[in-house]
């Protein structure tokens, strides 16, 4: 009787855990999207802080990203992004599509060669 009760309690706890995890995933909208390309515009009021960047993707679409709170300005300052823009060095932007727009949550140097962006 005690073993049955313990097994039943374990199953109930597992079910509750699965429901909580499922609800958590549904609320966050799942994984972030990724875009790769070259920076073609940086909207900034100084050398460090920036409000948005525009990236021309490999398929020639231009996507504008607002700076999310997760972006580390120690590494991705406005001046660094302008260097990428000037040299054509590619970036990879992870972002979340929200009602407010595309929110950049991470930026990294892209490893593939720079495309022709005439």
């Amino acid at each position: 009787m005690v073993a049955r009760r313990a097994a039943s309690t374990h199953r109930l706890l597992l079910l509750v855990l699965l429901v909580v995890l499922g609800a958590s995933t549904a609320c966050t909208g799942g994984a972030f999207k990724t875009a790769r390309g070259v920076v073609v515009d940086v909207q900034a009021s100084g050398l460090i802080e920036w409000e948005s960047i525009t990236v021309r993707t490999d398929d020639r679409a231009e996507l504008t990203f607002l700076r999310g709170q997760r972006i580390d300005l120690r590494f991705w300052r406005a001046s660094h992004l302008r260097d990428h823009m000037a040299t054509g060095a590619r970036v990879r932007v992870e972002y979340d599509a929200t009602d407010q727009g595309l929110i950049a949550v991470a930026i990294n140097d892209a490893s593939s060669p720079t495309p022709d962006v005439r």
Side-chain angles (χ1 to χ4, degrees), residues 7 13-14 16 23 33 39 43-45 50 52 55 59 61 65 77-78 80-82 90 92 98 101-103 106 111:
L13 287 173
L14 180 60
V16 168
K33 297 178 182 178
V39 178
Q43 293 296 311
S45 57
W50 54 275
S52 68
V55 173
D59 62 0
F65 301 97
R77 297 177 175 165
H80 183 78
L81 289 164
R82 285 189 181 116
R90 294 166 43 82
R92 183 178 64 246
T98 70
L102 304 179
I103 309 297
S111 59

Side-chain angles (χ1 to χ4, degrees), residues 2-118:
V2 173
R4 279 189 194 173
R5 192 173 274 176
S8 178
T9 302
H10 284 207
R11 276 182 272 185
L12 180 60
L13 287 173
L14 180 60
L15 179 61
V16 168
L17 179 63
L18 290 173
V19 169
V20 168
L21 286 176
S24 169
T25 301
C27 290
T28 61
F32 296 120
K33 297 178 182 178
T34 302
R36 289 177 179 78
V38 293
V39 178
V40 295
D41 186 50
V42 178
Q43 293 296 311
S45 57
L47 295 173
I48 297 173
E49 300 255 347
W50 54 275
E51 293 79 38
S52 68
I53 61 170
T54 302
V55 173
R56 183 177 298 136
T57 63
D58 297 339
D59 62 0
R60 299 257 196 237
E62 289 193 3
L63 303 175
T64 299
F65 301 97
L66 302 173
R67 180 172 50 92
Q69 293 181 353
R70 294 181 182 194
I71 300 296
D72 190 342
L73 291 174
R74 293 176 297 167
F75 304 108
W76 291 100
R77 297 177 175 165
S79 59
H80 183 78
L81 289 164
R82 285 189 181 116
D83 286 343
H84 273 265
M85 187 170 63
T87 63
R90 294 166 43 82
V91 295
R92 183 178 64 246
V93 180
E94 289 183 49
Y95 66 95
D96 192 12
T98 70
D99 293 339
Q100 292 78 34
L102 304 179
I103 309 297
V105 296
I107 304 174
N108 294 292
D109 291 315
S111 59
S112 53
T114 304
D116 179 12
V117 291
R118 282 182 257 156

